[in-house]
Amino acid sequence: MALKTLSAEKAAALDKELMSDGAFSLDQLMELAGLSVSQAVYKFHPPGKGKKVLVACGPGNNGGDGLVAARHLKMYGYEPTMYYPKRPKNELYERLTKQLQDFEIAFTEDFPSALKSTDLVVDAIFGFSFSGAVREPFAEVIEAMETTKTPVLAVDAPSSWNIGSGPPESGPGKNFQPNALISLTAAKPLVKWYKGRHFVGGRFLSKAMAEKYDLDAPAYQGVDQIVEVPLQDQKL
Amino acid sequence: MALKTLSAEKAAALDKELMSDGAFSLDQLMELAGLSVSQAVYKFHPPGKGKKVLVACGPGNNGGDGLVAARHLKMYGYEPTMYYPKRPKNELYERLTKQLQDFEIAFTEDFPSALKSTDLVVDAIFGFSFSGAVREPFAEVIEAMETTKTPVLAVDAPSSWNIGSGPPESGPGKNFQPNALISLTAAKPLVKWYKGRHFVGGRFLSKAMAEKYDLDAPAYQGVDQIVEVPLQDQKL
């Protein structure tokens, strides 16, 4: 069974519709998305495997999901460290950052050093709105995630990958294969090139919205906000 | 071991602090609170026991928690019906209501009739800011919850109860004993008079905030947003 995917254009349209006709606020959606990310981390890498989690956040909403996830991870008993080098002036991101400071979560400006002593990396740098070339400081960070032996869980997309056409042909990310990926709302076409464990999260689509965007309803269990999708389901 | 409780005044101060210094938005807190309520429903009354849930929402934030919970319950496979007779002009509540409509959740104006065919009632009428006398249409609703054989789960407080001194000495709610209660953030002093199953939810307090308000950190497990508190822990 092929997994239905959501192109970058459709993902942007769906987000926009959720926040207009759908009456969701970005605060609300980001809280649920980040909660899903934290649950995927727990499933992929439970605290018994090591509690240190380095969360790399980009300047947009993918980074915001990482900020929310880190707060929940702290509540679950992890020890997150944030790498958040580019912070646009944005009221929501500023509040999410303040929350992390109140939770006594450390921030680092030195990703390579932090990488040496972490048990897991969360890649929340770029999401479905990314395209084009990776610039510093993220080029260096993506190269480090590409070569590290430490497991990496990517949020919505392995950073540097094109949402439609997968890994870049050259430059940072060319050989980047995270060990886990959580697709938010629905998988993006890039999953065709992806080989690790795959989770779907973001349990907030009405049946009408899922039908309108021609998406499968993931087989969520109980109160779980995420579900693991077997690899054979994602061959396209 | 006595469970530490939070007075109505301190609960209001804590809420205010979370949304000022704490940098949380009401959207965010209500989403997490309502999610906790939905998880308590799932634990207390899993869908196998009957999927019909009648959610009675009051005009304030307690009602808002009920609105959020209903959306999550629908995602879990329940069939919620909303009783929401008093709707103040409030942008957040209006959006939460629109979300429920998009999820094809029914609204009723006839609580007694809906009560006859439901499997569970969620009492999200009044929370920690309630005091004084109950007015219609809620007096009738509380009397119906007081006498029904259908299980009732109350959000933060059995509606009509005084937060500090428990059940009213006369009038609606005098003999109201819900079968389950979920305390949000922390139990209120009224739990001293409460005899049913007790859950605590609202997993968003930093250690510093819990200490400042002299609260116990509930023993949440894994990614759970709620925890059941054994009865012997709530004797004061």
Side-chain angles (χ1 to χ4, degrees):
Chain A
M1 194 182 79
L3 189 72
K4 289 178 179 170
T5 60
L6 194 63
S7 70
E9 294 69 28
K10 284 195 170 170
L14 190 154
D15 245 30
K16 200 176 158 189
E17 185 165 350
L18 281 172
M19 287 186 275
S20 52
D21 276 8
F24 282 89
S25 67
L26 183 56
D27 276 54
Q28 221 187 337
L29 291 176
M30 198 167 277
E31 192 62 35
L32 292 173
L35 181 68
S36 292
V37 172
S38 73
Q39 292 195 355
V41 167
Y42 197 96
K43 192 99 176 256
F44 171 66
H45 189 92
K49 284 191 175 182
K51 293 181 178 172
K52 291 187 180 171
V53 183
L54 176 58
V55 186
C57 294
N61 285 348
N62 202 252
D65 296 338
L67 298 176
V68 172
R71 172 166 35 84
H72 289 287
L73 289 173
K74 177 83 177 190
M75 303 260 15
Y76 305 158
Y78 290 90
E79 296 158 21
T81 296
M82 311 305 294
Y83 174 75
Y84 188 32
K86 295 282 172 193
R87 308 185 191 181
K89 204 162 168 51
N90 174 298
E91 190 256 349
L92 174 54
Y93 306 158
E94 283 165 3
R95 285 195 289 101
L96 296 173
T97 302
K98 171 66 163 66
Q99 289 165 24
L100 296 179
Q101 290 160 346
D102 290 346
F103 275 74
E104 293 168 17
I105 290 170
F107 285 72
T108 181
E109 295 183 2
D110 184 351
F111 186 87
S113 294
L115 180 59
K116 282 179 198 151
S117 64
T118 194
D119 300 307
L120 178 75
V121 179
V122 173
D123 162 19
I125 298 177
F126 300 126
F128 69 75
S129 58
F130 173 80
S131 67
V134 177
R135 276 188 283 255
E136 293 299 353
F138 296 114
E140 187 192 41
V141 170
I142 289 165
E143 279 167 350
M145 292 194 296
E146 200 167 0
T147 51
T148 184
K149 297 267 186 284
T150 303
V152 177
L153 179 145
V155 177
D156 221 23
S159 294
S160 78
W161 285 29
N162 182 285
I163 303 308
S165 59
E169 289 186 6
S170 62
K174 188 166 77 93
N175 298 308
F176 182 28
Q177 274 289 346
N179 310 76
L181 169 71
I182 173 158
S183 295
L184 294 170
T185 323
K188 311 303 176 296
L190 56 72
V191 293
K192 190 173 168 184
W193 291 269
Y194 171 68
K195 296 167 185 160
R197 286 178 68 179
H198 184 206
F199 302 87
V200 175
R203 195 175 180 182
F204 44 66
L205 276 202
S206 67
K207 211 176 137 193
M209 280 289 271
E211 280 170 8
K212 179 168 176 181
Y213 285 84
D214 190 28
L215 298 172
D216 303 308
Y220 294 111
Q221 299 298 305
V223 301
D224 291 353
Q225 300 294 310
I226 58 154
V227 61
E228 185 160 6
V229 183
L231 274 175
Q232 65 270 25
D233 282 1
Q234 69 195 46
K235 299 283 171 250
L236 302 181
Chain B
M1 195 183 78
L3 190 72
K4 289 178 179 171
T5 60
L6 194 63
S7 70
E9 294 69 28
K10 283 195 173 173
L14 190 153
D15 245 29
K16 199 176 159 191
E17 185 165 349
L18 281 173
M19 287 187 275
S20 52
D21 275 7
F24 282 89
S25 67
L26 183 56
D27 276 54
Q28 221 187 338
L29 290 176
M30 198 166 277
E31 191 63 34
L32 292 173
L35 180 70
S36 291
V37 172
S38 72
Q39 292 195 355
V41 167
Y42 197 97
K43 191 99 176 256
F44 171 66
H45 189 92
K49 284 192 176 181
K51 292 180 180 174
K52 291 185 179 171
V53 183
L54 177 57
V55 185
C57 295
N61 285 347
N62 204 251
D65 296 340
L67 299 175
V68 171
R71 174 165 36 83
H72 289 288
L73 289 173
K74 176 82 175 188
M75 303 263 10
Y76 306 157
Y78 289 91
E79 295 160 21
T81 296
M82 310 305 295
Y83 173 75
Y84 188 32
K86 295 282 172 195
R87 308 183 190 183
K89 206 165 166 49
N90 174 299
E91 190 257 348
L92 174 54
Y93 305 158
E94 284 165 4
R95 285 195 289 101
L96 296 173
T97 302
K98 171 66 163 68
Q99 291 165 24
L100 295 179
Q101 290 159 345
D102 290 346
F103 276 74
E104 291 166 20
I105 290 170
F107 285 73
T108 181
E109 294 183 2
D110 184 352
F111 186 87
S113 295
L115 181 59
K116 281 179 199 152
S117 64
T118 194
D119 301 306
L120 178 75
V121 180
V122 173
D123 162 20
I125 298 177
F126 300 126
F128 68 76
S129 56
F130 173 80
S131 66
V134 177
R135 277 188 283 255
E136 294 298 353
F138 296 114
E140 187 193 39
V141 170
I142 289 166
E143 278 165 352
M145 292 194 297
E146 200 166 0
T147 52
T148 184
K149 296 268 188 282
T150 303
V152 177
L153 178 145
V155 178
D156 222 23
S159 293
S160 79
W161 285 28
N162 181 285
I163 304 307
S165 58
E169 288 185 9
S170 61
K174 188 167 77 94
N175 298 309
F176 182 29
Q177 274 289 346
N179 309 76
L181 169 72
I182 172 158
S183 295
L184 295 170
T185 323
K188 311 303 176 296
L190 55 74
V191 293
K192 189 173 168 184
W193 292 269
Y194 172 69
K195 295 167 186 161
R197 285 178 69 178
H198 184 208
F199 302 87
V200 176
R203 196 175 181 182
F204 45 65
L205 275 203
S206 67
K207 210 175 136 192
M209 280 288 272
E211 280 170 7
K212 179 169 177 181
Y213 285 84
D214 190 28
L215 297 172
D216 301 309
Y220 294 112
Q221 298 297 304
V223 301
D224 291 354
Q225 299 295 308
I226 58 153
V227 62
E228 185 160 5
V229 182
L231 273 174
Q232 66 268 25
D233 283 2
Q234 70 195 45
K235 300 283 172 251
L236 300 180

